[in-house]
Amino acid sequence: METTASASRHISTHIDRPVRAVYDYASNPSNLPEWARGLGGSITKINGQWIAESSPMGRVSVAFVPENELGVLDHDVTLPSGEIVYNPVRVIADGIGSEVVFTLRRRAGMSDEDFQRDADAVLADLTTLKRVLERA
């Protein structure tokens, strides 16, 4: 049996804040516009779903895994096409601070340039998350 693994890239940043503080902030979808520009400038809860109307991809919905003690921030982003993009994210202890690790998965048919553009956007979002949380 032959299988094809998708390409992944782990993008991370250290944040000088405790794991719980980072997790609590990042897991709250209402905070996404402040640090996750890839999802646009606003997000609203509509009929139990978090909807970002002004994302660069158009209207998308975002669904996080249930709150947990493991620092798991995995979430699905449903694109306007109906495609669901799974985004694995972890907040892990790093000394007295935290490391946030986002695993960017390459989608089928994605060019090298598009994959790099997504990686750059994720890094920019994590850098903003760091800045927001470290000034708090």
Side-chain angles (χ1 to χ4, degrees), residues 2-10 83-88 102-110 112 115:
E2 190 174 317
T3 61
T4 304
S6 65
S8 295
R9 189 176 297 173
H10 303 289
E83 177 185 3
I84 298 173
V85 179
Y86 169 64
N87 298 287
F102 187 112
T103 301
L104 179 63
R105 317 266 327 258
R106 187 178 194 145
R107 297 188 335 258
M110 181 177 261
D112 291 342
F115 192 50

Side-chain angles (χ1 to χ4, degrees), residues 48-59:
Q49 284 190 307
W50 288 97
I51 306 294
E53 295 283 351
S54 59
S55 87
M57 302 163 283
R59 185 178 199 252

